[in-house]
């Protein structure tokens, strides 16, 4: 006859096996959603360059930008939240590929927005957003460079793998920094 511990072990591990199977099915059900349903970025552009200075041996630019994006298509039943961020990329002689996060926001699946907004917090419609993190180049090579702005986001599911996605590179906006400090 089996003891209570053997029976308890069998029940617990059967339950864990069922839970694992359901988690795998849940992850499989969301495969390909992000390739079929992309958020719509209607505007991401420089609003104002506030300053470009040499600060402690590095170039630092402070700016503001406009962002209009509908993130609702990225959500489905298995997404808990999106981590949305604006990336500035540029090239220098010292470092051929520079990417700097300028601004970020977490959008929860449960975000409802304010009472007057029928689309909730999943639609970003903001003008003149001041950067959270300065555009800094450690080699003093920021002046006169072309800066490209791009919206990127990380999908954080309830179960399954984390993955990143980004705005279509052909729709990125760019601007040119001045040759002299301001």
């Amino acid at each position: 006859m089996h003891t209570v511990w053997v029976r308890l072990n069998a029940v617990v591990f059967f339950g864990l096996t069922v839970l694992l199977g359901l988690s795998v099915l849940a992850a499989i059900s969301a495969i390909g959603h992000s390739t079929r349903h992309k958020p719509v970025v209607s505007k991401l552009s420089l609003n104002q360059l506030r300053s470009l200075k040499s600060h402690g041996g590095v170039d630092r630019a402070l700016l503001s930008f406009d962002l209009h994006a509908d993130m609702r298509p990225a959500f489905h039943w298995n997404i808990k939240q999106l981590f949305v961020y604006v990336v500035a990329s540029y090239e220098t002689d010292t470092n051929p590929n520079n990417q700097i996060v300028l601004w970020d926001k977490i959008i929860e699946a449960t975000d409802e927005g304010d009472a007057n907004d029928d689309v909730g917090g999943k639609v970003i419609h903001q003008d003149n957003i001041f950067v959270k993190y300065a555009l800094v180049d450690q080699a003093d090579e920021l002046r006169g460079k072309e800066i490209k702005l791009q919206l990127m986001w990380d999908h954080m599911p309830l179960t399954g793998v984390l993955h990143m996605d980004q705005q279509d590179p052909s729709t990125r906006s760019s601007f040119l920094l001045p040759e002299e400090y301001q």
Side-chain angles (χ1 to χ4, degrees):
M1 199 73 190
H2 295 295
T3 66
V4 171
W5 297 115
V6 172
R7 290 180 183 171
L8 182 63
N9 185 37
V11 168
V12 167
F13 279 96
F14 176 73
L16 288 175
T17 303
V18 169
L19 188 61
L20 174 68
L22 292 174
S23 294
V24 168
L25 288 175
I28 289 172
S29 73
I31 288 177
H33 181 273
S34 63
T35 58
R36 293 187 309 269
H37 305 283
K38 292 255 188 203
V40 179
V41 181
S42 55
K43 184 177 185 182
L44 174 59
S45 61
L46 175 72
N47 184 303
Q48 179 183 10
L49 178 64
R50 307 259 175 121
S51 70
L52 175 61
K53 296 181 180 178
S54 179
H55 182 73
V58 298
D59 280 354
R60 184 179 81 175
L62 296 175
L63 53 103
S64 63
F65 59 91
D66 300 333
L67 175 59
H68 301 172
D70 183 0
M71 303 305 289
R72 290 177 294 180
F75 284 90
H76 55 80
W77 71 270
N78 193 28
I79 294 293
K80 179 181 179 186
Q81 63 187 17
L82 290 179
F83 180 69
V84 181
Y85 49 103
V86 173
V87 174
S89 56
Y90 62 96
E91 297 177 1
T92 62
D93 294 333
T94 308
N95 298 311
N97 185 19
N98 297 283
Q99 292 185 327
I100 299 173
V101 174
L102 299 177
W103 175 87
D104 59 25
K105 179 178 182 174
I106 295 174
I107 303 175
E108 301 278 341
T110 57
D111 281 352
E112 297 298 329
D114 58 15
N116 299 329
D117 189 8
D118 61 344
V119 294
K122 297 179 183 89
V123 174
I124 304 168
H125 189 86
Q126 296 180 357
D127 293 324
N128 202 21
I129 304 171
F130 189 71
V131 294
K132 285 185 179 180
Y133 317 106
L135 177 57
V136 177
D137 183 66
Q138 55 189 250
D140 233 6
E141 298 176 346
L142 203 52
R143 290 168 289 161
K145 298 299 178 199
E146 180 186 17
I147 309 295
K148 296 177 184 165
L149 296 178
Q150 184 174 21
L151 188 68
M152 303 176 85
W153 55 91
D154 295 340
H155 296 263
M156 298 181 184
L158 295 169
T159 182
V161 295
L162 302 172
H163 66 282
M164 295 173 39
D165 210 347
Q166 63 185 353
Q167 171 186 359
D168 183 15
S170 66
T171 63
R172 293 193 296 189
S173 67
S174 62
F175 61 93
L176 195 61
L177 288 175
E179 294 286 341
E180 300 298 324
Y181 291 124
Q182 298 184 3

